[in-house]
Amino acid sequence: MVYIESWDEFVDRSLQLFRADPQSSRYVMKYRHCDGKLVLKVTDNRECLKFKTDQAQDAKKMEKLNNIFFTLMVRGPDADISEASSKEQMEQQASKKGRGRRQ
Amino acid sequence: MEELVRSRGTSHRSKSSHRRVVEADRVEESWCQAADPFEQAAGQVLLQPDPFLNELTSMFERSTEKGSIWVTLKRSSMKCKATRNKMETSGQPIEYRCLVRATDGKKTISTSLSAKEYQKFQASYATVLKAHMNALKKRERKDRKKTVEPEKKQDSSKSNSSKKRALSTLKPSK
């Protein structure tokens, strides 16, 4: 199991790993409140990438990665994951439901 | 081929993570075999997204003093291999969902998200995490000494502001 130091490298390699085998890859998050530790893991049951941290700022970065994985897993590995688009779509959806409440 | 007996409360970390892998396939298998759609292999519960989030919140609240929470995301069609193969050969499009599982080591809950549901879930999920994952360290990027700002009473001549100067020098990181 490899702990990756750089967040960006972890993200890049994780997405690569997932796209190579979307059926077997999974993304795991482990949080320990008592130790204040967060560990992320992406694996396809052959290779394993991990990232650990105790920093609050990494939790914010993880949020974005969560969104990316949700999109990829539901829409497929070729889905467009530009984060801006996912936020826009959320707002679009909200306004649809609002029916003119938001203008 | 059941090589691992599911016994709760094992202290072997490496085995439990492998067990979770086996679990992953088992959940998918049992989903199409169980007569009752909510019946899962060995005590895993499939919930709707909102009850899942409520239960996840409770898990976080129970695990502050000790324990861990694992949340796993996986792409899944929620169909067993046999059904999937049949659908592939007959040319039927397979709809994929996002399987989300959460466990505190003792109890496991899960939910599955469709393309329509996932964005709303994603937002609520982020809220839950933000609310509960607050034991992580906040890093002060700029370690400043508390500099005393010169008082500018003449600027906007109002009564002395009771603002604490210390607070005004702190900036939230990022």
Side-chain angles (χ1 to χ4, degrees):
Chain A
M1 292 192 205
V2 180
Y3 278 105
I4 299 177
E5 297 291 308
S6 143
W7 171 258
D8 292 329
E9 188 193 336
F10 174 73
V11 172
D12 283 341
R13 289 176 64 183
S14 304
L15 295 181
Q16 218 177 354
L17 191 65
F18 176 80
R19 286 187 167 117
D21 192 348
Q23 282 297 95
S24 347
S25 302
R26 65 183 186 279
Y27 165 59
V28 185
M29 173 201 84
K30 171 178 159 180
Y31 175 69
R32 276 182 72 81
H33 193 279
C34 50
D35 297 336
K37 290 250 155 65
L38 176 68
V39 180
L40 304 178
K41 172 166 80 171
V42 179
T43 177
D44 59 358
N45 297 328
R46 285 176 289 269
E47 194 186 327
C48 180
L49 305 167
K50 288 181 119 177
F51 181 89
K52 65 178 168 188
T53 184
D54 55 359
Q55 301 294 322
Q57 60 181 358
D58 290 328
K60 287 190 195 164
K61 293 181 190 169
M62 177 194 71
E63 223 181 285
K64 295 195 181 149
L65 186 60
N66 288 346
N67 294 349
I68 292 178
F69 271 117
F70 275 120
T71 307
L72 286 178
M73 289 179 179
V74 176
R75 298 230 179 124
D78 305 320
D80 173 24
I81 55 167
S82 50
E83 291 133 80
S85 70
S86 60
K87 268 191 188 172
E88 277 172 41
Q89 287 188 13
M90 247 175 63
E91 287 172 17
Q92 271 181 25
Q93 268 195 2
S95 66
K96 268 189 195 172
K97 285 184 183 176
R99 290 263 169 142
R101 203 173 52 178
R102 272 198 197 184
Q103 275 294 325
Chain B
M1 185 166 67
E2 313 284 275
E3 62 266 30
L4 284 171
V5 175
R6 283 184 55 112
S7 56
R8 286 294 182 199
T10 177
S11 59
H12 298 293
R13 293 265 169 99
S14 56
K15 275 190 186 171
S16 68
S17 59
H18 176 56
R19 178 167 24 107
R20 252 173 259 127
V21 174
V22 177
E23 238 176 78
D25 298 334
R26 256 196 255 175
V27 171
E28 297 191 47
E29 290 289 329
S30 69
W31 172 239
C32 60
Q33 283 166 17
D36 174 356
F38 291 106
E39 206 181 283
Q40 297 287 306
Q44 209 182 111
V45 178
L46 189 68
L47 304 168
Q48 290 299 308
D50 288 330
F52 173 86
L53 287 167
N54 292 336
E55 191 52 46
L56 178 65
T57 302
S58 308
M59 274 190 181
F60 269 109
E61 286 165 357
R62 289 193 304 256
S63 309
T64 47
E65 296 295 300
K66 64 174 183 173
S68 316
I69 304 248
W70 286 265
V71 180
T72 305
L73 265 51
K74 187 175 196 289
R75 179 168 160 84
S76 168
S77 61
M78 301 303 282
K79 295 192 169 26
C80 56
K81 205 158 188 204
T83 313
R84 241 184 309 154
N85 287 340
K86 265 190 233 172
M87 288 172 85
E88 268 175 36
T89 48
S90 71
Q92 264 178 290
I94 302 177
E95 187 216 337
Y96 283 99
R97 298 168 69 94
C98 180
L99 174 64
V100 186
R101 269 173 305 200
T103 181
D104 57 2
K106 302 202 172 69
K107 180 176 157 181
T108 304
I109 53 174
S110 59
T111 188
S112 98
L113 308 169
S114 68
K116 292 183 191 161
E117 301 168 316
Y118 86 91
Q119 275 159 335
K120 185 169 165 242
F121 179 88
Q122 167 177 309
S124 311
Y125 175 63
T127 308
V128 173
L129 292 192
K130 249 192 290 226
H132 291 96
M133 288 176 46
N134 45 20
L136 300 171
K137 294 184 200 157
K138 294 189 168 68
R139 200 171 66 170
E140 294 224 353
R141 269 147 125 251
K142 300 166 189 173
D143 282 313
R144 288 186 180 178
K145 291 186 286 186
K146 284 182 191 175
T147 54
V148 178
E149 283 177 8
E151 279 193 338
K152 293 180 182 178
K153 282 184 187 174
Q154 290 159 9
D155 235 333
S156 52
S157 54
K158 306 229 162 168
S159 53
N160 278 344
S161 60
S162 54
K163 268 190 223 170
K164 295 180 186 170
R165 272 179 238 114
L167 276 180
S168 66
T169 60
L170 274 181
K171 283 185 189 172
S173 59
K174 231 252 159 162

